[in-house]
Amino acid sequence: MTVRTRVAPSPTGDPHVGTAYVALFNMAFARSQGGQFLLRIEDTDQARSTAESEAAILEAFRWLGLEWDEGPEVGGPHGPYRQSERGALYQEAADQLVADGHAFPCFCTAERLDEVRRAQQLAKETPRYDGHCLSLSKDEAAARIQAGEAHVIRMKIPETGSCVINDLFRGEIEIAWSQIDMQVLVKSDGMPTYHLANVVDDHHMAITHVIRGEEWINSAPKHRLLYDYFGWEAPVLAHLPLLRNPDKSKLSKRKNPTGINYYRRMGYLPEALVNFLGLMGHSMPDGAEVFNLDAFIAAFSLDRITLGAPVFDQEKLAWLNGQWLRGLSDQAFADRVVDWGLNRDSLMPLVPLIKPRTERLCDLAPMVGYLLGARRSLSAEDFEGLALEGEALLEALQFTLWRLEALGDWRRPALVATVEGLAAELGLKIRVLLAPLFVALSGQAVSLPLYDSLVFLGPDLSRARLREGLEALGGVSKKAAKRLEKRYAELDQGGADEESAAES
Ligand code: GLU
């Protein structure tokens, strides 16, 4: 058997270090076994998937030195490797499930489902579909579909007993079917959900080992059942431990930058980041901490993975990066500095900003310091004397951050519209809103123009600095966050919640 693994990112946001971690382990396992590693784009969530996000993920993976044998751009015998281009396969699979009596059309409205959920919550039951449309006769269902009534396709779940899944790291895990929802497989727009597309693709792409984050364990019974319904052999399942913040909570951008591009822009070497990710839950046989990708692949073994919470520790990463930097020859070091940002292409966008404001070239460094390098660390005093203070100040920073987190288009006009729109909604003069943003981004009360700074810094660094600004002000307590979320939802566009469209 040839080992075939895959990483299956959803292109719905910035490239995440957790995705790179899963990709790295899948690639290392496949290579260590003489197998193949695939990259598949899971873009069935049309509302949230973007071509920009996909391109950014591929670029970030390439920067890290991760290479896929099959997938977008490289092709392969099992393509296309983008789920949005594989619709016919899912349709066929769903039709087969319905024909075999393993899945059924469901016409329940969102209102009815809400009511059911509320009643179940009141009764302290696990919220799940109540099987209402299971009783429809085939003819009635067919007639309603014929009449154009909106519907989804749900999978049937056994009424009694439990599902046993076998996780390579955890052994047998038993989950009662009563805990498992009659999962939607095809949405009302005809698109498959993650569960259907993922199983169909893993089968057709001949994946032998599904190695993914532990957040997917709860989906495994549904997948297991789908394999049984189709009569397909299920791949080996191995759920990697989740990356953690230092306080052991799930790695989150609120506590730790999670974007690969953040680390790239901050001047971490790809070798160091890969090396660091290779230490997350896997240890080298000789206990080495500094190693390159080839050494990692040569030593990689699923047996060496431990389930203790791997902490994404910034200090350790910075130490490792230092090791890697010091390992470079002087020549190579200089080359890296140039590649990183001190080159003509990177500096060009700054020229129109600096030229009108400078008399001597030596004035440059202090002026662009916060753009090229790290800005100095902030404290609450930096925000003193601004028109906004207290909760209004927190609100201004947090709301801007939320708006910018939801912003896919990072060009100047979109940034201007976003920040000015927010100022108008908050009833603030634009100057008043911009002032704390200047401080958070640059560490100075006066800096180069804000929107140009945002464009130059890019989404990852900009957002990280706004988060650091909030931290410097003492952070947002849980209670304050609740209040802010409520206020935010009341704003004109505030309801555009990133998560709400997630059907997975
Ligand atoms: N598209 C899923 C994700 O974004 C893939 C999960 C899996 O590997 O099955 O993580």
Side-chain angles (χ1 to χ4, degrees):
M1 175 193 67
T2 307
V3 165
R4 285 171 63 83
T5 63
R6 54 35 168 208
V7 66
S10 301
T12 54
D14 301 329
H16 194 282
V17 288
T19 318
Y21 158 66
V22 172
L24 173 67
F25 279 41
N26 273 285
M27 185 180 103
F29 179 59
R31 298 260 187 281
S32 70
Q33 301 296 306
Q36 288 123 25
F37 167 60
L38 283 68
L39 195 155
R40 177 173 75 228
I41 296 292
E42 300 209 327
D43 57 351
T44 55
D45 184 342
Q46 289 188 307
R48 296 175 69 220
S49 299
T50 64
E52 291 77 31
S53 169
E54 177 187 317
I57 292 170
L58 300 186
E59 166 60 18
F61 279 10
R62 251 185 258 106
W63 175 69
L64 284 170
L66 303 175
E67 282 173 7
W68 47 101
D69 304 299
E70 294 173 31
E73 294 179 1
V74 299
H78 299 274
Y81 293 90
R82 221 172 259 116
Q83 289 188 327
S84 55
E85 295 166 19
R86 299 171 64 80
L89 270 176
Y90 313 130
Q91 187 60 50
E92 195 184 305
D95 289 347
Q96 184 192 331
L97 289 175
V98 174
D100 294 348
H102 296 312
F104 60 99
C106 165
F107 302 88
C108 291
T109 59
E111 293 75 47
R112 177 170 189 282
L113 296 175
D114 276 350
E115 259 167 49
V116 171
R117 195 174 311 128
R118 232 172 289 130
Q120 286 168 333
Q121 274 163 351
L122 272 181
K124 302 237 175 322
E125 290 168 12
T126 313
R128 61 201 288 262
Y129 182 63
D130 64 352
H132 185 71
C133 288
L134 268 174
S135 58
L136 293 177
S137 72
K138 273 208 158 120
D139 290 345
E140 186 180 345
R144 289 172 72 171
I145 292 173
Q146 192 67 35
E149 194 173 333
H151 65 283
V152 300
I153 303 290
R154 290 182 185 272
M155 71 187 287
K156 289 189 186 168
I157 300 288
E159 278 165 28
T160 55
S162 52
C163 173
V164 177
I165 54 164
N166 213 324
D167 180 274
L168 197 65
F169 305 136
R170 294 168 180 79
E172 287 190 351
I173 304 174
E174 193 171 339
I175 304 181
W177 285 122
S178 60
Q179 299 301 306
I180 310 293
D181 202 1
M182 289 179 226
Q183 177 66 46
V184 173
L185 298 177
V186 181
K187 294 179 270 188
S188 53
D189 63 2
M191 290 296 275
T193 56
Y194 154 73
H195 303 278
L196 177 66
N198 188 269
V199 164
V200 167
D201 284 346
D202 281 345
H203 171 70
H204 286 298
M205 294 180 179
I207 298 302
T208 58
H209 293 70
V210 166
I211 305 171
R212 62 183 167 200
E214 70 184 300
E215 71 268 34
W216 299 103
I217 289 184
N218 288 337
S219 299
K222 296 170 192 169
H223 298 182
R224 174 77 248 182
L225 189 58
L226 284 173
Y227 281 104
D228 290 348
Y229 284 166
F230 287 121
W232 296 337
E233 195 186 331
V236 174
L237 272 185
H239 290 93
L240 293 170
L242 283 182
L243 302 183
R244 303 275 165 180
N245 295 313
D247 65 5
K248 297 287 165 82
S249 57
K250 181 180 160 198
L251 187 67
S252 62
K253 58 189 172 194
R254 222 165 276 179
K255 299 192 179 156
N256 229 324
T258 54
I260 297 172
N261 290 332
Y262 170 85
Y263 294 97
R264 184 174 183 174
R265 280 297 298 265
M266 290 291 282
Y268 289 86
L269 300 185
E271 293 94 329
L273 190 50
V274 160
N275 182 165
F276 179 69
L277 293 174
L279 289 166
M280 300 284 107
H282 187 271
S283 55
M284 296 295 264
D286 59 359
E289 292 211 291
V290 185
F291 47 82
N292 66 20
L293 185 56
D294 288 341
F296 179 66
I297 291 171
F300 186 84
S301 161
L302 291 174
D303 298 338
R304 304 197 57 81
I305 290 179
T306 48
L307 294 182
V311 172
F312 197 98
D313 175 355
Q314 298 274 344
E315 277 176 36
K316 177 88 179 252
L317 174 56
W319 170 80
L320 253 186
N321 201 51
Q323 299 294 310
W324 272 95
L325 284 174
R326 282 184 274 290
L328 297 173
S329 68
D330 290 356
Q331 183 66 39
F333 187 96
D335 288 343
R336 293 300 183 109
V337 175
V338 171
D339 285 348
W340 167 69
L342 295 187
N343 60 64
R344 212 185 157 81
D345 285 348
S346 313
L347 295 177
M348 267 323 265
L350 290 179
V351 173
L353 301 179
I354 308 164
K355 217 167 61 174
R357 293 178 171 81
T358 193
E359 285 167 345
R360 304 167 308 171
L361 293 177
C362 66
D363 297 329
L364 288 185
M367 205 184 296
V368 299
Y370 74 99
L371 293 175
L372 291 179
R375 75 126 160 61
R376 63 182 188 79
S377 55
L378 297 176
S379 70
E381 282 92 74
D382 292 307
F383 293 91
E384 275 173 14
L386 301 180
L388 293 175
E389 53 184 16
E391 180 117 343
L393 176 58
L394 282 183
E395 194 176 90
L397 284 170
Q398 181 66 77
F399 288 5
T400 308
L401 176 58
W402 281 335
R403 284 284 159 88
L404 293 184
E405 279 175 350
L407 192 65
D409 175 0
W410 203 260
R411 283 169 297 183
R412 201 173 189 284
L415 290 164
V416 173
T418 303
V419 177
E420 290 193 350
L422 180 63
E425 287 171 62
L426 292 173
L428 294 176
K429 286 214 177 72
I430 185 69
R431 259 185 307 117
V432 171
L433 177 59
L434 290 183
L437 305 183
F438 270 115
V439 175
L441 283 177
S442 69
Q444 300 153 208
V446 182
S447 68
L448 293 171
L450 183 94
Y451 299 114
D452 299 297
S453 300
L454 284 169
V455 171
F456 188 81
L457 288 168
D460 293 274
L461 276 191
S462 304
R463 292 170 188 153
R465 288 187 183 181
L466 290 176
R467 279 182 211 112
E468 287 162 13
L470 283 164
E471 281 308 306
L473 288 166
V476 179
S477 68
K478 276 216 171 100
K479 241 173 132 184
K482 277 249 150 62
R483 274 199 308 276
L484 290 178
E485 273 163 26
K486 194 156 169 278
R487 279 267 297 133
Y488 188 67
E490 286 160 8
L491 294 177
D492 278 357
Q493 307 162 36
D497 175 6
E498 271 190 282
E499 306 286 295
S500 63
E503 173 58 274
S504 60

